Amino acid sequence: MTSTIHILSVPIGNVTKEEACAFAFKCIEEGRAASIATANAEMVMRAQSDEELADILRHADLVVPDGAGVLWAAEQIGKQFKERVAGIDLACRLVGEAALRQTPVYFFGGAEGVARDAAANLEKQVGKLHIVGTHSGFFTDEEEKQIIEEIRSGGTQLLFVALGVPKQEKWIRDHLYELGPCVCMGVGGSLDVLSGRLDRAPKWMQEHRLEWLYRLLKEPTRIKRMMALPQFVAAVKRDKEAK
């Protein structure tokens, strides 16, 4: 049983990337559906006002500590995550293992062509993948049915969903058991980076917990979303004082 650290009532698994990857492939080997969420400060704050998202995170099969904010929050209550498990790093680790095992993979989300290009770039890095299919994050109700059928009938065992928070988490929750025995992971903007459309922060910024700043500098329109960070800090401090 994975140990968890609760950050503002959201249970986050205290796992390494390797442990999270092993968990995903254990589910695949056992032929069971599972959901993986990647929690950062923004998602945890959204869960404070979105009870549906909060419930999804409480019942997810695994929630990993994606952002520097949740690592900081754990330290405020005298606890420590083993490491940061950034969604993009875990996705790459899972894809690398999928290449070795020829696990059927599907990439879903992003603008037109993003999922396709992300899959192609990943193949250059890890070798030949068993790609069931790719689709953008834009679809009609009828197309959604076709996407679900393609994922299921193709025997997909690993599905990356990039529809943004909380849409991707709610989509996975709504359709998990229609997709067959599939491990589904919400990956947000990771496909944009993997497709080459966005650059990732330099390694030194990642290591110093400044990836959020790099993304803000690159995408100033994120400023409204970034307002969740000071709100998160204040909420964590209030929560600490109340205990």
Side-chain angles (χ1 to χ4, degrees):
M1 189 72 176
T2 301
S3 65
T4 57
I5 298 175
H6 284 72
I7 305 297
L8 299 180
S9 299
V10 174
I12 302 176
N14 190 4
V15 293
T16 64
K17 286 186 285 290
E18 288 303 314
E19 288 168 343
C21 181
F23 170 80
F25 279 92
K26 184 172 187 291
C27 292
I28 289 170
E29 288 165 4
E30 293 174 354
R32 63 186 177 96
S35 60
I36 299 176
T38 59
N40 58 18
E42 185 183 349
M43 182 188 282
V44 172
M45 276 312 295
R46 187 181 283 268
Q48 304 309 297
S49 57
D50 185 338
E51 179 53 39
E52 190 180 358
L53 176 60
D55 186 67
I56 289 169
L57 295 177
R58 283 194 295 267
H59 292 93
D61 293 280
L62 178 63
V63 181
V64 299
D66 172 271
V70 297
L71 270 65
W72 170 84
E75 290 162 0
Q76 301 314 297
I77 55 174
K79 298 184 180 181
Q80 189 168 19
F81 285 106
K82 295 175 183 177
E83 65 177 4
R84 179 186 173 211
V85 183
I88 189 169
D89 292 333
L90 178 55
C92 289
R93 179 67 189 82
L94 290 168
V95 168
E97 189 66 24
L100 291 173
R101 300 180 183 221
Q102 283 301 292
T103 303
V105 185
Y106 196 104
F107 297 87
F108 175 36
E112 190 61 45
V114 164
R116 179 197 64 228
D117 291 349
N121 285 344
L122 283 164
E123 279 201 307
K124 291 174 186 174
Q125 295 173 31
V126 303
K128 183 66 177 173
L129 288 166
H130 180 173
I131 299 172
V132 174
T134 66
H135 199 284
S136 78
F138 299 91
F139 46 86
T140 64
D141 289 346
E142 190 55 41
E143 287 171 334
E144 181 179 44
K145 292 175 185 174
Q146 293 170 3
I147 292 165
I148 292 169
E149 175 57 23
E150 184 177 30
I151 292 168
R152 189 193 63 75
S153 64
T156 303
Q157 293 180 315
L158 191 55
L159 170 66
F160 297 103
V161 184
L163 301 177
V165 177
K167 184 177 180 181
Q168 62 196 20
E169 286 73 28
K170 294 180 180 182
W171 192 92
I172 291 170
R173 185 272 318 272
D174 291 343
H175 302 292
L176 184 61
Y177 296 105
E178 296 175 57
L179 303 171
C182 183
V183 172
C184 305
M185 177 178 165
V187 293
S190 295
L191 294 191
D192 289 313
V193 176
L194 294 170
S195 71
R197 283 165 172 75
L198 282 180
D199 291 327
R200 193 175 180 193
K203 199 74 173 175
W204 71 267
M205 293 190 84
Q206 296 176 40
E207 291 171 350
H208 287 82
R209 302 184 181 181
L210 292 172
E211 197 160 8
W212 63 271
L213 178 59
Y214 182 85
R215 293 185 69 182
L216 179 59
L217 292 172
K218 285 287 188 178
E219 303 173 73
T221 54
R222 293 176 65 90
I223 187 66
K224 285 186 178 179
R225 291 175 57 181
M226 288 299 178
M227 290 309 295
L229 295 179
Q231 294 169 1
F232 176 77
V233 169
V236 168
K237 288 185 174 179
R238 284 196 305 270
D239 190 56
K240 180 183 177 181
E241 290 167 2
K243 287 179 177 175

